[in-house]
Amino acid sequence: MMNIHEQFEEFLAKLGVEMERPEDGQRERVEPTYDADDARPEVSIFQASRDHYGVFYRLDVVEQRPELRVIVPAERGKTKMHIYLVRLSEHMPLSATFVDMAVYEGSETFERGREAAWQHLLYATAEIMKQLFWAGDLEYMTFPEEIEVYPLLR
């Protein structure tokens, strides 16, 4: 079974994108404007947009915080795509739910279904984040106050 990184690499290969390898020489590094770390996602889901042609989403829970990466096709640039990181702002009460769920010790029945519950919660949260993202203005990088958006690749 492939992990999310291998699935994404396979998806990009089908689009004709060839991944650079560290041994291929110097890699161009895109410096994020947020605090990046190498924390591994607790849950990851990759999906195609039903509403926006050519757009893909990666949904993660990293350190009990939902993250949505929006991959948007572009006509210019080396990669022909833009990637945005969307997070819930601290003003959004839903952001605390993931922390609360992570520390909650439930019944045996709940614990057996915890991973599925995480995925359903992530799907629902991602739908809210997507609506708020698309309600914003990508050109001016202005978005509703319930989310924070960081350009990762433009």
Side-chain angles (χ1 to χ4, degrees):
M1 185 163 173
M2 290 191 287
N3 68 30
I4 190 72
H5 302 289
E6 292 165 330
Q7 289 174 359
F8 186 60
E9 186 172 319
E10 180 179 282
F11 163 75
L12 290 174
K14 288 178 182 176
L15 294 175
V17 175
E18 185 175 325
M19 301 295 288
E20 289 185 14
R21 305 278 181 235
E23 61 271 8
D24 291 343
Q26 291 291 337
R27 292 177 75 172
E28 185 175 316
R29 183 176 165 95
V30 177
E31 290 297 326
T33 58
Y34 69 100
D35 288 336
D37 58 28
D38 290 329
R40 295 183 69 92
E42 297 143 48
V43 177
S44 291
I45 301 166
F46 192 72
Q47 61 182 202
S49 175
R50 295 181 303 267
D51 301 321
H52 299 90
Y53 179 75
V55 171
F56 291 87
Y57 302 107
R58 177 178 166 151
L59 317 170
D60 295 303
V61 176
V62 178
E63 296 180 346
Q64 294 92 35
R65 188 170 186 185
E67 294 184 346
L68 171 68
R69 283 171 179 73
V70 183
I71 304 157
V72 182
E75 293 187 23
R76 296 177 189 227
K78 291 179 184 179
T79 61
K80 303 291 189 252
M81 70 175 74
H82 300 298
I83 302 176
Y84 302 93
L85 172 65
V86 182
R87 289 181 168 168
L88 294 174
S89 75
E90 292 179 11
H91 306 313
M92 186 71 162
L94 188 55
S95 61
T97 302
F98 286 85
V99 174
D100 293 342
M101 285 288 288
V103 298
Y104 177 72
E105 294 181 24
S107 66
E108 268 187 53
T109 304
F110 178 82
E111 292 303 324
R112 280 193 303 271
R114 179 182 287 276
E115 187 173 331
W118 267 105
Q119 289 182 359
H120 290 296
L121 183 59
L122 181 57
Y123 275 123
T125 303
E127 289 304 314
I128 294 167
M129 294 167 76
K130 289 175 199 176
Q131 287 179 342
L132 293 168
F133 175 81
W134 292 113
D137 186 325
L138 284 173
E139 184 177 348
Y140 295 101
M141 292 299 294
T142 57
F143 298 92
E145 66 183 31
E146 291 84 6
I147 59 172
E148 301 166 353
V149 178
Y150 305 94
L152 299 179
L153 180 63
R154 271 176 73 149

